[in-house]
Amino acid sequence: MSIKSLLMPIVTQHMLGRTRLLRQRERSMKTRLRSGAPRQLHYFHQADDPYSVLAAHSLVALQQKYALQILPHIVSPPEQAAAPEPDKLQTYGRQDAHLLAQHYGFPIFPITIFAEQPSAEKTQMANRLLVAAMHMGLFVQLVDSISAALWNASQPLTEQTATALGIYPTAPGLTASEMQQANRLRKELGHYLGACFWYEGEWYWGIDRLYHLELRLQDELGSNEMSSNQPLLYPPATELAQPLHIAQPPEIDFYFSLRSPYSAIVAERAFRLGQLAGASIKLRYVLPMVMRGLPVPANKRLYIAMDAAREAHVRQIPFGRLNDPVGRPTERGLALMPLAESLGRGQDYVLSFMRGVWAEGLDAGSDCGLRKICERAGLPWDDARRALQDQAWRKTAEANRLAMSALGLWGVPSFSCAGTAVWGQDRLWVIADIMKKMAGQDTPLPKQVEPYNHQE
């Protein structure tokens, strides 16, 4: 075992620990209170990003609910290193944002709003209008209307649009300069996407992470400034808790990587969903992106780890004392998947591996660590040692990657069921909804956000 493997669990347990996060929040709040500054929420908006459309629509409610000063920034799409499949990201993002809008009861402008990507010319004009609105202090008030015009394929976006809004578009050069500054600030603060919120040292991407921010703000404000039990704008989906009765439950394809923290925190929940729905889970393991030659920037790795820790805490999943299994540990782990499945212990093995490397700091690259993972999952160590020499898993992993790519997906964890494919540990509710509908159960929507009216 290397020094790195010995130290990493100790360092990450501290870095990703809840205690450290809460202390950091408390320090930030005390610093602000001493300075007398208002609560400031930085928001990074990408005009041609559908997630940004939803995020920007939330600003009015956040501002009113928590007395926040909103500081908007207009940014460019992420660099290719952070989003290695930009075309797939655009296509999937439009579908997923539409799904989110439906899930949260968004009164989104026409139902086909995300049917196609806006042109480069319309996006450029939208950026000029957004920068102008920002300079006039009207971004929060006008961003919905500008988004509506940008994303409505039948509606032009011209200087006449600006006149109707009471603003004049900034010059292209000034717009580009403003966006470059915003891009630099986003990178300096540690992120790479649009639809991002930054509040006193912490990032929140998209509307389905805003509940973390809301819980933080409610904790800060306390009962003196707002009533307790305030409903969240976008509450996280609840997990399926009771068995469903489905005559012929469909199979669930679970695409995952042993090196993915999001895969680690969703595996047990996915298996539980399968049990309650009576559905079998097909384990579709793939190699991590970085082991397939795709870059993963440091700021992306850090945000994913911090975000996974928050999500794991809310769902009471052990996480944070990790020993990164990149490289040999992952290869050894995947080499044992055929053995585990042949013994009917596939799910047990996946859970044992995930818990071992992501919560217990076990080094799967060592025989000592991997043996513990194997034996508690029901895999005899002598059989496991022989299975480590078999490289057949590589063909299976590549076949799984190709199957995932054919679904229009490229990242893990992903799920495919009954003709629906989704990406992310925070989309397991989509699969649960499919099962509920098959069982004849209605699925109520979470609390709706405020009505949208782009004429105002």
Side-chain angles (χ1 to χ4, degrees):
M1 181 179 289
S2 67
I3 297 296
K4 180 180 179 181
S5 293
L6 286 170
L7 293 179
M8 188 181 299
I10 300 171
V11 173
T12 55
Q13 184 175 33
H14 169 71
M15 184 181 73
L16 301 177
R18 190 70 180 177
T19 299
R20 179 178 179 272
L21 179 64
L22 295 178
R23 286 176 178 169
Q24 176 183 300
R25 290 177 177 180
E26 185 177 6
R27 285 195 300 269
S28 297
M29 181 178 67
K30 288 181 177 178
T31 299
R32 170 173 44 79
L33 291 175
R34 284 195 300 268
S35 70
R39 296 183 189 88
Q40 294 182 331
L41 178 66
H42 290 261
Y43 168 63
F44 294 80
H45 185 83
Q46 180 189 328
D48 60 349
D49 166 35
Y51 296 112
S52 290
V53 175
L54 305 185
H57 180 69
S58 312
L59 294 175
V60 170
L62 285 170
Q63 189 176 53
Q64 294 175 348
K65 194 175 179 183
Y66 300 106
L68 292 166
Q69 180 183 3
I70 307 293
L71 302 178
H73 308 277
I74 316 304
V75 294
S76 306
E79 298 175 355
Q80 188 166 2
E85 298 278 4
D87 293 338
K88 287 184 178 179
L89 177 61
Q90 282 188 351
T91 301
Y92 178 78
R94 294 197 303 272
Q95 298 169 355
D96 190 47
H98 181 82
L99 190 69
L100 273 179
Q102 289 182 313
H103 178 65
Y104 284 113
F106 253 83
I108 214 66
F109 11 105
I111 198 68
T112 57
I113 187 64
F114 299 133
E116 61 183 69
Q117 200 71 17
S119 67
E121 292 75 19
K122 285 188 75 174
T123 301
Q124 183 181 42
M125 177 56 73
N127 286 330
R128 294 175 63 191
L129 296 178
L130 289 166
V131 170
M134 184 178 68
H135 284 174
M136 296 177 67
L138 296 174
F139 178 89
V140 174
Q141 293 85 346
L142 296 181
V143 64
D144 277 350
S145 297
I146 296 171
S147 292
L150 171 64
W151 283 89
N152 190 336
S154 63
Q155 182 176 346
L157 187 59
T158 63
E159 293 191 6
Q160 285 71 31
T161 309
T163 301
L165 294 173
I167 57 176
Y168 189 80
T170 55
L174 178 58
T175 300
S177 176
E178 291 276 359
M179 292 179 66
Q180 288 171 2
Q181 291 181 27
N183 292 339
R184 283 196 295 270
L185 177 62
R186 177 178 61 178
K187 189 171 184 177
E188 288 170 6
L189 294 176
H191 219 286
Y192 49 96
L193 294 172
C196 281
F197 303 84
W198 189 87
Y199 179 71
E200 296 186 356
E202 199 170 335
W203 283 101
Y204 310 86
W205 177 67
I207 62 171
D208 47 2
R209 287 303 187 275
L210 279 180
Y211 80 93
H212 288 295
L213 173 61
E214 285 203 76
L215 292 174
R216 176 182 178 182
L217 290 169
Q218 290 181 14
D219 186 55
E220 278 187 17
L221 293 168
S223 58
N224 293 330
E225 296 188 53
M226 67 187 305
S227 61
S228 59
N229 299 319
Q230 278 270 359
L232 300 172
L233 293 177
Y234 311 105
T238 56
E239 304 287 338
L240 190 65
Q242 300 297 326
L244 298 175
H245 301 288
I246 305 173
Q248 293 182 314
E251 185 177 61
I252 301 171
D253 281 2
F254 174 31
Y255 295 89
F256 66 95
S257 159
L258 294 178
R259 204 234 175 181
S260 160
Y262 289 136
S263 294
I265 67 173
V266 80
E268 184 175 357
R269 293 153 50 208
F271 299 155
R272 175 66 173 164
L273 172 60
Q275 291 171 357
L276 291 173
S280 62
I281 306 284
K282 187 169 185 178
L283 299 175
R284 296 276 214 159
Y285 50 88
V286 300
L287 275 172
M289 295 177 75
V290 70
M291 292 174 65
R292 288 186 268 128
L294 297 174
V296 182
N299 58 359
K300 183 175 181 178
R301 292 197 306 270
L302 180 59
Y303 174 74
I304 288 174
M306 300 296 287
D307 182 55
R310 283 187 313 209
E311 290 282 280
H313 172 77
V314 168
R315 292 171 172 82
Q316 299 181 329
I317 299 168
F319 181 85
R321 184 178 174 83
L322 64 91
N323 207 326
D324 188 354
V326 65
R328 184 169 180 265
T330 286
E331 291 182 333
R332 282 160 58 88
L334 290 179
L336 300 186
M337 282 298 305
L339 171 64
E341 293 191 276
S342 71
L343 296 174
R345 312 296 293 182
Q347 294 187 15
D348 296 319
Y349 173 67
V350 169
L351 292 179
S352 181
F353 191 98
M354 293 301 199
R355 184 168 75 249
V357 302
W358 294 105
E360 299 170 342
L362 296 182
D363 178 10
S366 71
D367 282 354
C368 179
L370 190 58
R371 180 171 186 170
K372 182 174 181 179
I373 290 169
C374 287
E375 291 185 339
R376 69 184 179 190
L379 276 62
W381 179 238
D382 287 343
D383 292 347
R385 289 175 62 188
R386 287 190 292 270
L388 287 173
Q389 308 307 313
D390 191 347
Q391 298 296 302
W393 65 269
R394 293 185 184 275
K395 290 184 178 180
T396 303
E398 176 61 10
N400 289 337
R401 185 193 69 80
L402 292 173
M404 182 174 67
S405 180
L407 295 171
L409 303 174
W410 65 100
V412 294
S414 290
F415 303 91
S416 176
C417 179
T420 296
V422 290
W423 171 35
Q425 62 86 23
D426 46 10
R427 294 296 181 271
L428 188 60
W429 57 264
V430 178
I431 308 303
D433 282 357
I434 291 173
M435 299 299 177
K436 290 176 185 177
K437 290 174 183 175
M438 289 187 170
Q441 294 186 10
D442 292 330
T443 306
L445 290 172
K447 173 188 175 292
Q448 293 190 0
V449 295
E450 292 300 312
Y452 177 89
N453 183 352
H454 72 271
Q455 300 299 325
E456 294 180 352

